[in-house]
């Protein structure tokens, strides 16, 4: 996990957004991943964006996961979903995600809307603690990873946890082909 200094997330609610801390607090006792396997590490908030974070903390892109909020409308109602993908990939928003949301067109939710609806900071949104009625679409490569690092709901920390834990979150669906390999930059 690079140079991150991790500790159990349940012991550091100060490093989590309020909804994330609440989800950790109510982590199911019989879950396939024990709450003590969910770790958190403080980081420099100015380095929260994936590329800068990975470089500064010596974390490989292949274990860094991103959570993006996607929205689409159907019959005048906006439908939201969170997509959890590895940093080496891009979500297939107008293919797989659009079909799963059952909307004509899907796109990334506007920043202000995503922040307001999640209670989390932009650039730190995590699937842990999202609104209960949102589907969480998790790319199969994420759950196949032994450990991943993802946002904590705030920009000044990151969560590290087993990849399978993300596929076991409430409302999570593991989706084969949710993401495509990102073009080399």
């Amino acid at each position: 996990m690079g140079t991150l200094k991790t500790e159990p997330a349940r012991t550091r609610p100060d490093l989590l957004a309020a909804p994330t801390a609440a989800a950790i607090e109510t982590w199911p006792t019989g879950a396939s991943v024990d709450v003590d396997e969910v770790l958190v590490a403080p980081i420099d908030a100015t380095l929260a964006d994936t590329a800068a974070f990975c470089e500064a903390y010596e974390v490989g892109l292949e274990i860094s996961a991103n959570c993006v909020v996607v929205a689409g409308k159907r019959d005048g109602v906006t439908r939201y979903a969170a997509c959890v993908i590895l940093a080496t990939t891009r979500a297939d928003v107008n293919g797989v995600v659009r079909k799963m949301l059952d909307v004509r067109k899907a796109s990334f939710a506007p920043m202000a809307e995503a922040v307001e609806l999640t209670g989390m900071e932009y650039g730190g949104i995590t699937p842990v603690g999202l609104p209960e009625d949102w589907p969480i679409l998790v790319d199969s490569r994420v759950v196949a990873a032994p450990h991943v690092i993802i946002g904590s709901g705030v920009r000044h920390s990151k969560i590290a946890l087993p990849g399978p834990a993300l596929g076991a979150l409430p409302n999570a669906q593991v989706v084969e082909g949710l993401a495509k390999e990102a073009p080399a930059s």
Side-chain angles (χ1 to χ4, degrees), residues 96-178:
V96 175
V97 178
R98 177 186 61 78
K99 288 176 186 161
M100 292 193 80
L101 278 176
D102 192 26
V103 294
R104 233 176 101 205
K105 183 180 179 213
S107 59
F108 297 109
M111 176 179 59
E113 201 170 288
V115 167
E116 180 182 343
L117 294 171
T118 63
M120 299 178 194
E121 294 177 5
Y122 188 76
I125 293 175
T126 184
V128 181
L130 285 176
E132 290 179 10
D133 58 340
W134 285 17
I136 300 171
L137 310 177
V138 184
D139 187 68
S140 58
R141 287 172 272 213
V142 173
V143 296
H147 284 88
V148 293
I149 298 171
I150 196 159
S152 63
V154 294
R155 291 182 62 87
H156 64 272
S157 67
K158 294 282 185 181
I159 290 176
L161 73 171
L166 294 170
L169 290 171
N171 291 337
Q173 295 174 263
V174 177
V175 181
E176 188 74 36
L178 175 66

Coordinates of all heavy atoms in Angstrom, one line a residue, residues 96-178:
V96 N -22.7 0.1 -20.7 CA -23.2 -0.7 -19.6 C -23.9 0.0 -18.5 O -25.0 -0.4 -18.1 CB -21.9 -1.4 -18.9 CG1 -22.3 -2.2 -17.7 CG2 -21.3 -2.3 -20.0
V97 N -23.4 1.2 -18.1 CA -24.1 1.9 -17.0 C -25.4 2.4 -17.4 O -26.4 2.3 -16.7 CB -23.2 3.1 -16.5 CG1 -23.9 3.9 -15.4 CG2 -21.8 2.6 -16.0
R98 N -25.5 3.0 -18.6 CA -26.8 3.5 -19.1 C -27.9 2.4 -19.1 O -29.0 2.6 -18.7 CB -26.6 4.1 -20.5 CG -27.9 4.6 -21.2 CD -27.7 5.0 -22.6 NE -27.2 3.9 -23.5 CZ -28.0 2.9 -23.9 NH1 -29.3 2.9 -23.7 NH2 -27.5 2.0 -24.7
K99 N -27.5 1.2 -19.6 CA -28.4 0.1 -19.7 C -28.8 -0.3 -18.2 O -30.0 -0.6 -18.0 CB -27.8 -1.1 -20.4 CG -27.7 -0.8 -21.9 CD -27.0 -2.0 -22.6 CE -26.8 -1.6 -24.0 NZ -25.8 -2.4 -24.7
M100 N -27.9 -0.4 -17.3 CA -28.2 -0.8 -16.0 C -29.1 0.2 -15.2 O -29.9 -0.2 -14.4 CB -26.9 -1.0 -15.2 CG -26.2 -2.3 -15.7 SD -24.9 -2.9 -14.7 CE -25.9 -3.8 -13.5
L101 N -29.0 1.5 -15.6 CA -29.8 2.5 -15.0 C -31.2 2.6 -15.7 O -32.1 3.3 -15.2 CB -29.2 3.9 -15.0 CG -28.2 4.2 -13.9 CD1 -27.5 5.6 -14.2 CD2 -28.8 4.2 -12.6
D102 N -31.3 2.0 -16.9 CA -32.5 2.0 -17.7 C -32.8 3.4 -18.1 O -34.0 3.9 -17.8 CB -33.6 1.2 -17.0 CG -34.8 1.0 -18.0 OD1 -34.6 0.9 -19.2 OD2 -35.9 0.9 -17.5
V103 N -31.9 4.1 -18.6 CA -32.1 5.5 -19.1 C -31.6 5.7 -20.5 O -30.8 4.8 -21.0 CB -31.3 6.5 -18.1 CG1 -31.9 6.5 -16.7 CG2 -29.8 6.3 -18.1
R104 N -32.0 6.7 -21.2 CA -31.6 6.9 -22.6 C -30.2 7.4 -22.7 O -29.5 7.0 -23.6 CB -32.6 7.9 -23.2 CG -33.1 7.4 -24.5 CD -34.1 8.4 -25.1 NE -33.4 9.1 -26.2 CZ -33.7 10.3 -26.6 NH1 -34.7 10.9 -26.1 NH2 -33.1 10.8 -27.6
K105 N -29.8 8.3 -21.7 CA -28.4 8.8 -21.7 C -28.0 8.9 -20.3 O -28.7 9.4 -19.4 CB -28.4 10.2 -22.4 CG -27.0 10.7 -22.5 CD -27.0 12.1 -23.2 CE -25.6 12.6 -23.3 NZ -25.5 14.0 -23.2
A106 N -26.7 8.5 -20.1 CA -26.1 8.7 -18.7 C -24.9 9.5 -18.8 O -24.2 9.6 -19.9 CB -25.8 7.3 -18.2
S107 N -24.6 10.2 -17.8 CA -23.4 11.1 -17.7 C -22.9 11.2 -16.3 O -23.7 10.9 -15.4 CB -23.6 12.4 -18.4 OG -24.6 13.1 -17.7
F108 N -21.7 11.7 -16.1 CA -21.2 12.0 -14.8 C -22.1 13.0 -14.1 O -22.5 14.0 -14.8 CB -19.8 12.4 -14.8 CG -18.9 11.3 -15.3 CD1 -18.3 11.5 -16.5 CD2 -18.6 10.2 -14.6 CE1 -17.4 10.5 -17.0 CE2 -17.8 9.2 -15.1 CZ -17.2 9.3 -16.3
A109 N -22.5 12.8 -12.9 CA -23.4 13.8 -12.2 C -22.6 15.1 -12.0 O -21.3 15.0 -11.7 CB -23.8 13.2 -10.8
P110 N -23.2 16.2 -12.1 CA -22.5 17.5 -11.8 C -21.9 17.5 -10.4 O -22.5 16.9 -9.5 CB -23.6 18.6 -11.9 CG -24.7 17.9 -12.7 CD -24.6 16.4 -12.4
M111 N -20.7 18.1 -10.3 CA -20.0 18.1 -9.0 C -20.8 18.5 -7.8 O -20.9 17.8 -6.8 CB -18.7 18.9 -9.1 CG -18.0 19.0 -7.8 SD -16.5 20.0 -7.8 CE -17.1 21.6 -8.3
A112 N -21.5 19.7 -7.9 CA -22.3 20.2 -6.8 C -23.4 19.2 -6.4 O -23.7 19.0 -5.2 CB -22.8 21.6 -7.1
E113 N -24.0 18.6 -7.4 CA -25.1 17.7 -7.1 C -24.5 16.4 -6.4 O -25.1 15.9 -5.4 CB -25.7 17.3 -8.5 CG -27.1 16.7 -8.5 CD -27.6 16.6 -9.9 OE1 -27.9 17.6 -10.5 OE2 -27.7 15.4 -10.4
A114 N -23.4 15.9 -6.9 CA -22.8 14.7 -6.3 C -22.4 15.0 -4.8 O -22.7 14.1 -4.0 CB -21.6 14.2 -7.1
V115 N -21.9 16.1 -4.6 CA -21.4 16.5 -3.2 C -22.6 16.6 -2.3 O -22.7 16.1 -1.2 CB -20.6 17.8 -3.3 CG1 -20.4 18.4 -1.9 CG2 -19.2 17.5 -3.9
E116 N -23.7 17.3 -2.8 CA -24.9 17.5 -1.9 C -25.6 16.2 -1.6 O -25.9 16.0 -0.5 CB -25.8 18.5 -2.6 CG -27.1 18.7 -1.8 CD -28.1 19.6 -2.5 OE1 -27.7 20.3 -3.5 OE2 -29.2 19.6 -2.1
L117 N -25.7 15.4 -2.6 CA -26.5 14.1 -2.4 C -25.7 13.1 -1.6 O -26.4 12.3 -0.9 CB -26.9 13.5 -3.8 CG -27.9 14.4 -4.6 CD1 -28.0 13.8 -6.0 CD2 -29.2 14.4 -3.9
T118 N -24.4 13.1 -1.7 CA -23.6 12.1 -0.9 C -23.2 12.5 0.5 O -22.9 11.7 1.3 CB -22.4 11.7 -1.7 OG1 -21.5 12.8 -1.9 CG2 -22.7 11.1 -3.1
G119 N -23.1 13.9 0.7 CA -22.6 14.4 1.9 C -21.1 14.2 2.0 O -20.5 14.2 3.1
M120 N -20.4 14.0 0.8 CA -19.0 13.8 0.8 C -18.3 14.9 -0.1 O -19.0 15.6 -0.8 CB -18.7 12.4 0.1 CG -19.3 11.3 0.9 SD -19.0 9.7 0.1 CE -20.1 8.6 1.0
E121 N -17.0 15.0 0.0 CA -16.3 16.0 -0.7 C -16.0 15.4 -2.1 O -15.6 14.3 -2.3 CB -14.9 16.3 0.0 CG -15.1 17.0 1.3 CD -13.8 17.2 2.0 OE1 -12.7 16.9 1.5 OE2 -13.9 17.7 3.2
Y122 N -16.0 16.4 -3.1 CA -15.7 16.0 -4.5 C -14.2 15.6 -4.5 O -13.3 16.2 -3.9 CB -15.9 17.2 -5.4 CG -15.7 16.8 -6.9 CD1 -16.7 16.1 -7.5 CD2 -14.6 17.2 -7.6 CE1 -16.6 15.7 -8.8 CE2 -14.5 16.8 -8.9 CZ -15.5 16.1 -9.5 OH -15.3 15.7 -10.8
G123 N -13.9 14.5 -5.2 CA -12.6 14.0 -5.2 C -12.3 13.0 -4.1 O -11.2 12.4 -4.0
G124 N -13.3 12.8 -3.2 CA -13.1 11.8 -2.1 C -14.3 10.9 -2.0 O -14.4 10.1 -1.1
I125 N -15.3 11.0 -2.9 CA -16.5 10.2 -2.8 C -16.2 8.7 -2.9 O -15.3 8.3 -3.6 CB -17.5 10.6 -4.0 CG1 -18.0 12.0 -3.8 CG2 -18.7 9.6 -4.0 CD1 -18.9 12.6 -4.9
T126 N -16.8 8.0 -2.0 CA -16.6 6.6 -1.8 C -17.9 5.8 -1.8 O -18.9 6.4 -1.5 CB -15.8 6.4 -0.4 OG1 -15.5 5.0 -0.3 CG2 -16.6 6.8 0.8
P127 N -17.9 4.6 -2.2 CA -19.1 3.8 -2.1 C -19.6 3.5 -0.7 O -20.7 3.1 -0.5 CB -18.8 2.5 -2.9 CG -17.3 2.4 -2.8 CD -16.8 3.8 -2.7
V128 N -18.6 3.6 0.3 CA -19.0 3.3 1.7 C -19.7 4.4 2.3 O -19.2 5.5 2.6 CB -17.7 3.0 2.5 CG1 -18.0 2.6 3.9 CG2 -16.8 1.9 1.8
G129 N -21.0 4.3 2.4 CA -21.9 5.3 3.0 C -22.7 6.1 2.0 O -23.2 7.1 2.4
L130 N -22.8 5.6 0.8 CA -23.7 6.3 -0.2 C -25.2 6.2 0.2 O -25.5 5.3 1.0 CB -23.4 5.7 -1.6 CG -22.1 6.1 -2.2 CD1 -22.0 5.4 -3.5 CD2 -22.0 7.6 -2.4
P131 N -26.0 7.0 -0.4 CA -27.5 6.9 -0.2 C -27.9 5.4 -0.4 O -27.5 4.8 -1.3 CB -28.1 7.8 -1.2 CG -27.0 8.9 -1.4 CD -25.7 8.1 -1.3
E132 N -28.8 5.0 0.5 CA -29.2 3.6 0.5 C -29.9 3.1 -0.7 O -29.9 1.9 -1.0 CB -30.1 3.3 1.8 CG -29.3 3.3 3.0 CD -30.2 3.1 4.3 OE1 -31.3 2.7 4.1 OE2 -29.7 3.3 5.4
D133 N -30.5 4.0 -1.4 CA -31.3 3.6 -2.6 C -30.5 3.7 -3.9 O -31.0 3.4 -5.0 CB -32.6 4.5 -2.8 CG -32.3 6.0 -2.9 OD1 -31.2 6.4 -2.5 OD2 -33.2 6.7 -3.3
W134 N -29.2 4.0 -3.8 CA -28.4 4.0 -5.0 C -27.8 2.7 -5.3 O -27.2 2.1 -4.4 CB -27.2 5.0 -4.9 CG -27.6 6.4 -4.9 CD1 -28.8 7.0 -4.8 CD2 -26.6 7.5 -5.1 NE1 -28.7 8.4 -4.9 CE2 -27.4 8.7 -5.1 CE3 -25.3 7.6 -5.2 CZ2 -26.8 10.0 -5.2 CZ3 -24.7 8.8 -5.4 CH2 -25.4 10.0 -5.4
P135 N -27.9 2.2 -6.6 CA -27.1 1.0 -6.9 C -25.6 1.4 -6.9 O -25.2 2.5 -7.3 CB -27.6 0.6 -8.3 CG -28.3 1.8 -8.8 CD -28.7 2.7 -7.7
I136 N -24.8 0.4 -6.4 CA -23.3 0.6 -6.5 C -22.8 -0.5 -7.5 O -23.0 -1.7 -7.2 CB -22.7 0.4 -5.1 CG1 -23.2 1.4 -4.1 CG2 -21.2 0.4 -5.2 CD1 -22.8 1.1 -2.7
L137 N -22.4 0.0 -8.6 CA -21.9 -0.9 -9.7 C -20.4 -1.1 -9.5 O -19.7 -0.1 -9.6 CB -22.3 -0.4 -11.0 CG -23.8 0.0 -11.2 CD1 -24.0 0.6 -12.6 CD2 -24.7 -1.1 -11.0
V138 N -19.9 -2.3 -9.3 CA -18.5 -2.5 -9.0 C -17.9 -3.4 -10.1 O -18.4 -4.5 -10.4 CB -18.3 -3.3 -7.6 CG1 -16.9 -3.4 -7.3 CG2 -19.0 -2.5 -6.5
D139 N -16.9 -2.9 -10.8 CA -16.3 -3.6 -11.9 C -15.7 -4.9 -11.3 O -15.1 -4.9 -10.2 CB -15.2 -2.8 -12.5 CG -14.7 -3.5 -13.8 OD1 -15.4 -3.6 -14.8 OD2 -13.5 -3.9 -13.7
S140 N -15.8 -6.0 -12.0 CA -15.3 -7.3 -11.5 C -13.8 -7.3 -11.2 O -13.3 -8.0 -10.3 CB -15.6 -8.4 -12.5 OG -15.1 -8.1 -13.8
R141 N -13.0 -6.4 -11.9 CA -11.6 -6.3 -11.6 C -11.3 -5.8 -10.2 O -10.3 -6.1 -9.6 CB -10.9 -5.5 -12.6 CG -10.8 -6.2 -14.0 CD -10.3 -5.2 -15.0 NE -11.4 -4.5 -15.6 CZ -11.5 -4.1 -16.8 NH1 -10.5 -4.2 -17.6 NH2 -12.5 -3.5 -17.3
V142 N -12.2 -4.9 -9.7 CA -12.1 -4.4 -8.3 C -12.2 -5.5 -7.3 O -11.4 -5.6 -6.4 CB -13.1 -3.2 -8.1 CG1 -13.0 -2.8 -6.6 CG2 -12.9 -2.1 -9.0
V143 N -13.2 -6.3 -7.4 CA -13.4 -7.3 -6.4 C -12.4 -8.5 -6.5 O -12.2 -9.2 -5.6 CB -14.8 -7.9 -6.4 CG1 -15.9 -6.9 -6.0 CG2 -15.2 -8.6 -7.7
A144 N -11.7 -8.5 -7.7 CA -10.7 -9.5 -7.9 C -9.4 -9.1 -7.2 O -8.5 -9.9 -7.0 CB -10.5 -9.8 -9.4
A145 N -9.2 -7.8 -6.9 CA -8.0 -7.3 -6.3 C -7.9 -7.7 -4.8 O -8.9 -7.5 -4.1 CB -7.9 -5.8 -6.5
P146 N -6.8 -8.2 -4.4 CA -6.7 -8.5 -2.9 C -7.0 -7.3 -2.0 O -7.6 -7.4 -1.0 CB -5.3 -9.0 -2.8 CG -4.8 -9.4 -4.1 CD -5.6 -8.5 -5.1
H147 N -6.5 -6.1 -2.4 CA -6.7 -4.9 -1.7 C -6.8 -3.7 -2.7 O -6.1 -3.7 -3.7 CB -5.6 -4.6 -0.7 CG -5.6 -5.4 0.5 ND1 -5.0 -6.6 0.6 CD2 -6.2 -5.2 1.7 CE1 -5.3 -7.2 1.8 NE2 -6.0 -6.3 2.5
V148 N -7.6 -2.7 -2.4 CA -7.7 -1.5 -3.2 C -7.7 -0.3 -2.2 O -8.0 -0.4 -1.0 CB -9.0 -1.5 -4.1 CG1 -8.9 -2.5 -5.2 CG2 -10.3 -1.6 -3.3
I149 N -7.4 0.8 -2.8 CA -7.4 2.1 -2.1 C -8.4 3.0 -2.8 O -8.3 3.1 -4.0 CB -6.0 2.7 -2.0 CG1 -5.0 1.7 -1.3 CG2 -6.0 4.0 -1.3 CD1 -3.6 2.0 -1.3
I150 N -9.2 3.6 -2.0 CA -10.3 4.4 -2.5 C -10.6 5.6 -1.6 O -10.1 5.6 -0.5 CB -11.6 3.5 -2.7 CG1 -12.6 4.2 -3.6 CG2 -12.2 3.1 -1.4 CD1 -13.6 3.2 -4.2
G151 N -11.4 6.5 -2.1 CA -11.7 7.7 -1.3 C -12.3 7.3 0.1 O -12.9 6.2 0.2
S152 N -12.3 8.3 1.0 CA -12.9 8.1 2.3 C -14.1 9.0 2.5 O -14.7 9.0 3.6 CB -11.9 8.4 3.3 OG -11.5 9.7 3.2
G153 N -14.5 9.7 1.5 CA -15.6 10.7 1.6 C -15.0 12.1 1.9 O -15.7 13.1 1.7
V154 N -13.7 12.2 2.2 CA -13.0 13.5 2.4 C -11.7 13.4 1.6 O -11.2 12.4 1.2 CB -12.8 13.8 3.8 CG1 -14.1 14.1 4.6 CG2 -11.9 12.8 4.5
R155 N -11.2 14.6 1.3 CA -10.0 14.6 0.5 C -8.7 14.4 1.3 O -7.6 14.1 0.7 CB -9.9 16.0 -0.3 CG -10.9 16.1 -1.4 CD -10.8 17.4 -2.2 NE -9.5 17.5 -2.9 CZ -9.3 17.0 -4.1 NH1 -10.2 16.4 -4.8 NH2 -8.1 17.2 -4.7
H156 N -8.8 14.5 2.6 CA -7.5 14.4 3.4 C -7.2 12.9 3.9 O -6.4 12.8 4.8 CB -7.6 15.4 4.6 CG -8.7 15.1 5.6 ND1 -9.9 15.7 5.4 CD2 -8.7 14.4 6.7 CE1 -10.7 15.3 6.5 NE2 -9.9 14.6 7.2
S157 N -7.9 11.9 3.3 CA -7.6 10.6 3.7 C -8.0 9.6 2.6 O -8.8 10.0 1.7 CB -8.2 10.2 5.0 OG -9.6 10.1 4.9
K158 N -7.6 8.4 2.7 CA -8.0 7.3 1.8 C -8.3 6.0 2.6 O -7.7 5.8 3.7 CB -6.9 6.9 0.8 CG -6.5 8.0 -0.2 CD -7.5 8.1 -1.3 CE -7.0 9.2 -2.3 NZ -7.9 9.3 -3.4
I159 N -9.2 5.2 2.1 CA -9.5 3.9 2.7 C -8.8 2.8 1.9 O -8.7 2.9 0.7 CB -11.0 3.7 2.6 CG1 -11.8 4.6 3.6 CG2 -11.4 2.2 3.0 CD1 -13.3 4.5 3.5
A160 N -8.3 1.9 2.6 CA -7.7 0.7 2.0 C -8.5 -0.5 2.6 O -8.7 -0.6 3.8 CB -6.2 0.5 2.4
L161 N -8.9 -1.4 1.7 CA -9.7 -2.5 2.1 C -9.6 -3.6 1.0 O -9.2 -3.4 -0.1 CB -11.2 -2.1 2.3 CG -12.1 -1.8 1.2 CD1 -13.5 -1.7 1.6 CD2 -11.7 -0.6 0.4
P162 N -10.0 -4.9 1.4 CA -10.0 -5.9 0.4 C -11.0 -5.6 -0.7 O -12.1 -5.1 -0.4 CB -10.5 -7.1 1.2 CG -10.1 -6.8 2.7 CD -10.3 -5.3 2.8
G163 N -10.6 -5.9 -1.9 CA -11.5 -5.6 -3.1 C -12.8 -6.3 -2.9 O -13.9 -5.6 -3.2
P164 N -12.9 -7.5 -2.5 CA -14.2 -8.2 -2.3 C -15.2 -7.4 -1.4 O -16.4 -7.6 -1.5 CB -13.9 -9.6 -1.7 CG -12.5 -9.8 -2.2 CD -11.8 -8.5 -2.2
A165 N -14.7 -6.6 -0.5 CA -15.6 -5.9 0.4 C -16.4 -4.9 -0.3 O -17.6 -4.7 0.0 CB -14.7 -5.1 1.5
L166 N -15.9 -4.4 -1.4 CA -16.7 -3.4 -2.2 C -17.9 -4.1 -2.9 O -18.9 -3.5 -3.1 CB -15.8 -2.6 -3.2 CG -14.8 -1.7 -2.5 CD1 -13.8 -1.2 -3.4 CD2 -15.5 -0.6 -1.7
G167 N -17.7 -5.3 -3.3 CA -18.7 -6.1 -4.0 C -19.8 -6.5 -3.0 O -20.9 -7.0 -3.4
A168 N -19.5 -6.5 -1.7 CA -20.4 -7.0 -0.6 C -21.1 -5.8 0.0 O -21.9 -6.1 0.9 CB -19.6 -7.8 0.4
L169 N -20.9 -4.6 -0.4 CA -21.6 -3.5 0.2 C -23.1 -3.6 -0.1 O -23.5 -4.1 -1.1 CB -21.1 -2.1 -0.4 CG -19.7 -1.7 0.1 CD1 -19.2 -0.5 -0.7 CD2 -19.6 -1.4 1.5
P170 N -24.0 -3.0 0.8 CA -25.4 -3.0 0.5 C -25.6 -2.3 -0.9 O -25.0 -1.3 -1.3 CB -26.0 -2.1 1.6 CG -25.0 -2.1 2.7 CD -23.6 -2.3 2.0
N171 N -26.5 -2.9 -1.7 CA -26.9 -2.4 -3.0 C -25.8 -2.6 -4.1 O -25.9 -2.0 -5.2 CB -27.4 -1.0 -3.0 CG -28.7 -0.8 -2.4 OD1 -29.4 -1.8 -2.3 ND2 -29.0 0.4 -1.9
A172 N -24.7 -3.3 -3.7 CA -23.6 -3.5 -4.7 C -23.9 -4.6 -5.7 O -24.5 -5.6 -5.3 CB -22.3 -3.7 -4.0
Q173 N -23.5 -4.4 -6.9 CA -23.7 -5.4 -7.9 C -22.3 -5.5 -8.6 O -21.8 -4.5 -9.1 CB -24.7 -5.0 -9.0 CG -26.1 -4.9 -8.5 CD -27.0 -4.4 -9.7 OE1 -27.2 -3.2 -9.7 NE2 -27.4 -5.2 -10.6
V174 N -21.7 -6.7 -8.7 CA -20.5 -6.8 -9.4 C -20.8 -7.0 -10.8 O -21.7 -7.8 -11.2 CB -19.7 -8.1 -8.8 CG1 -18.4 -8.3 -9.6 CG2 -19.4 -7.9 -7.4
V175 N -20.2 -6.2 -11.7 CA -20.5 -6.1 -13.1 C -19.3 -6.4 -13.9 O -18.3 -5.7 -13.9 CB -21.1 -4.7 -13.5 CG1 -21.5 -4.7 -15.0 CG2 -22.3 -4.4 -12.6
E176 N -19.4 -7.5 -14.7 CA -18.3 -7.8 -15.7 C -18.4 -6.8 -16.8 O -19.5 -6.6 -17.3 CB -18.5 -9.3 -16.2 CG -17.4 -9.8 -17.0 CD -16.2 -10.2 -16.2 OE1 -16.4 -10.7 -15.1 OE2 -15.1 -10.0 -16.8
G177 N -17.3 -6.2 -17.1 CA -17.2 -5.3 -18.3 C -17.8 -3.9 -18.0 O -18.1 -3.1 -18.9
L178 N -17.9 -3.6 -16.7 CA -18.4 -2.2 -16.3 C -17.4 -1.1 -16.8 O -17.8 0.0 -17.2 CB -18.5 -2.1 -14.8 CG -18.9 -0.7 -14.2 CD1 -20.3 -0.3 -14.7 CD2 -18.8 -0.7 -12.7

